[in-house]
Amino acid sequence: MLLVAFLLATVLLTLSIAASPVEVHTSAITLPFAKRLSTEGGTIKLLERDQARATTLRARGGAIASGHLGRRASSIAVTNEAVSYIASVGVGSPATYYDLIVDTGSSNTWVGAGTPYKATSTSTNTGQPVSVIYGTGSFSGEEYTDTVILGSLTITKQSIGVASTSRGFSGVDGILGIGPEILTEGTLTNEPNTEIPTVTQNLYSQGKISSEVVGVFFAPTTSASSTNGELTFGGIDTSKYTGTLTYTSLTATSPACYYWGIDESIAYGSTTILSTTAGIVDTGTTLILIATNAYTKYKSLTGAVADSSTGLLRITTSQYNSLQNLDFNIGGVTYALTPNGQIWPRALNTYIGGSSSYVYLVVGDIGWNSGSGLDFINGQTFLERFYSVFDTSNSRVGFATTAYTAATTN
């Protein structure tokens, strides 16, 4: 019997209108979300899934740069979304609520992978075919405009995709895309040069929020029954971080520049393993992926071995006790990922095909050497230790430590 596990229960959306803790001139909305871990189809292949996504992200960015977005892959490997952050989002009037993956690495919002789309009086079919390939899955269908509900705030005439077919999205209903608008270019089949305003842009243009800013908070967890994250649209929640929130400009290096791309260097202890280069910050990637040459250095320095069952690097308990910090230098500020932040939660080893006797590292090989223009992905396991802010208005990304930066829960 296949094991189906949920790391955190999907939660119904609740809303709090932030007052003093949120640094905006008008109200911001806070959208709680839950981490979900599913083993439909067998044990979770984290590295395989994340590498496939990375390959697609790099290719799509390259296609945007070259103007070849109309060229679609004829076939893709399909892997079910394994570790996702899920928000409950209403569509229509009266609203149907959908469990949508929160994704900073894509920008289309769509439904219908699980719960069928229900047309209401606010639904308009634009007649436009729409499709997106994600590397580990895809969807195709038709574009509608409809009312979208985030808590008590309502977006009118938001473009959404309504899936007629989807692959790789078992157990969820679709995606809430909060990446840059340019990532929607090429997704409307008959209008490949058209960009689709995102939910964040429409919240701003319709006067619901005062700035195009999204704050993202995750907390590391091994629990199976609690909500461990929130999105704040239109501001930042100062109660969710400690110290100083520091911003860095978006990178100008292609193809990372088409995403939430930044420049950073990485050091293990006192040894630099990745010189300053461009990569992206992505809620849709589980692991921290780094260029192959950096990964090789990290593997050697930690004494880890490649585990054939999980695909991840594996160390013993005694080696874990000797791990050093993995330091990310971003905009002149060092963000230290502690030894505990570098490992997969040991209570969840069996979900990834691992053994309770070992410790597995969450740093993986992206699949190519540095110099590609997208040499790292700071995924969920990085974001669970640092508060992040995605600021479209000022073309920047911000980070700060949290109460969980030095947590030892893993």
Side-chain angles (χ1 to χ4, degrees):
M1 178 178 179
L2 293 177
L3 174 63
V4 179
F6 295 100
L7 178 59
L8 290 177
T10 302
V11 294
L12 291 176
L13 177 62
T14 59
L15 174 72
S16 60
I17 301 298
S20 57
V22 179
E23 300 174 349
V24 293
H25 298 297
T26 59
S27 296
I29 65 163
T30 297
L31 179 67
F33 56 89
K35 186 173 182 178
R36 175 182 290 181
L37 185 150
S38 172
T39 54
E40 285 195 41
T43 55
I44 298 171
K45 300 296 184 183
L46 291 178
L47 183 63
E48 177 183 314
R49 183 262 179 201
D50 279 358
Q51 285 178 330
R53 179 177 172 88
T55 298
T56 299
L57 292 175
R58 184 177 68 158
R60 180 163 179 76
I64 293 172
S66 64
H68 292 155
L69 275 170
R71 299 180 181 179
R72 298 286 182 182
S74 58
S75 63
I76 59 171
V78 177
T79 305
N80 276 325
E81 295 292 324
V83 182
S84 303
Y85 282 92
I86 309 296
S88 185
V89 177
V91 178
S93 180
T96 299
Y97 279 84
Y98 300 91
D99 292 341
L100 303 185
I101 297 170
V102 176
D103 189 9
T104 60
S106 68
S107 302
N108 293 76
T109 292
W110 62 273
V111 301
T115 303
Y117 175 68
K118 184 176 181 179
T120 68
S121 61
T122 56
S123 307
T124 300
N125 187 334
T126 69
Q128 290 288 341
V130 59
S131 63
V132 181
I133 293 174
Y134 296 93
T136 54
S138 65
F139 96 93
S140 60
E142 293 183 296
E143 182 197 34
Y144 279 69
T145 60
D146 209 339
T147 296
V148 171
I149 300 171
L150 300 171
S152 65
L153 293 188
T154 299
I155 307 169
T156 59
K157 299 182 179 179
Q158 172 66 47
S159 171
I160 60 169
V162 175
S164 55
T165 61
S166 63
R167 298 190 292 170
F169 292 94
S170 297
V172 298
D173 297 322
I175 285 181
L176 178 67
I178 56 173
E181 182 186 25
I182 195 170
L183 296 177
T184 65
E185 187 177 318
T187 61
L188 294 178
T189 305
N190 296 334
E191 296 184 7
N193 296 321
T194 297
E195 295 181 6
I196 301 169
T198 67
V199 292
T200 310
Q201 288 173 300
N202 279 333
L203 280 170
Y204 177 70
S205 66
Q206 294 177 23
K208 305 300 173 66
I209 57 177
S210 65
S211 58
E212 292 181 66
V213 173
V214 180
V216 179
F217 169 75
F218 298 95
T221 181
T222 59
S223 171
S225 60
S226 63
T227 303
N228 72 322
E230 70 170 35
L231 299 176
T232 301
F233 287 94
I236 56 177
D237 186 346
T238 59
S239 71
K240 290 295 188 285
Y241 65 87
T242 60
T244 303
L245 177 63
T246 304
Y247 291 92
T248 187
S249 298
L250 297 181
T251 186
T253 303
S254 178
C257 62
Y258 297 108
Y259 299 90
W260 288 109
I262 61 173
D263 296 316
E264 74 179 21
S265 63
I266 304 175
Y268 177 79
S270 60
T271 303
T272 297
I273 62 172
L274 184 66
S275 298
T276 301
T277 188
I280 67 172
V281 184
D282 181 33
T283 62
T285 299
T286 303
L287 303 172
I288 297 166
L289 298 182
I290 59 177
T292 301
N293 49 307
Y295 170 83
T296 301
K297 293 177 184 176
Y298 178 75
K299 177 183 176 183
S300 175
L301 290 167
T302 60
V305 298
D307 182 75
S308 59
S309 298
T310 64
L312 302 180
L313 289 178
R314 186 187 75 207
I315 58 176
T316 64
T317 301
S318 61
Q319 287 174 311
Y320 167 67
N321 293 332
S322 300
L323 276 184
Q324 300 180 56
N325 286 346
L326 189 64
D327 292 331
F328 296 74
N329 187 284
I330 305 170
V333 177
T334 297
Y335 300 91
L337 191 67
T338 64
N340 193 260
Q342 295 171 55
I343 69 171
W344 178 254
R346 283 168 282 189
L348 302 174
N349 280 356
T350 56
Y351 294 101
I352 60 171
S355 166
S356 59
S357 301
Y358 291 112
V359 178
Y360 300 94
L361 300 175
V362 296
V363 178
D365 182 1
I366 202 169
W368 50 81
N369 285 325
S370 58
S372 74
L374 201 165
D375 296 335
F376 62 84
I377 300 179
N378 294 350
Q380 294 169 13
T381 47
F382 176 88
L383 295 170
E384 286 176 346
R385 300 293 175 141
F386 302 100
Y387 189 79
S388 57
V389 179
F390 301 88
D391 185 351
T392 301
S393 298
N394 297 293
S395 300
R396 61 185 184 173
V397 178
F399 300 101
T401 57
T402 76
Y404 301 98
T405 297
T408 58
T409 51
N410 289 344

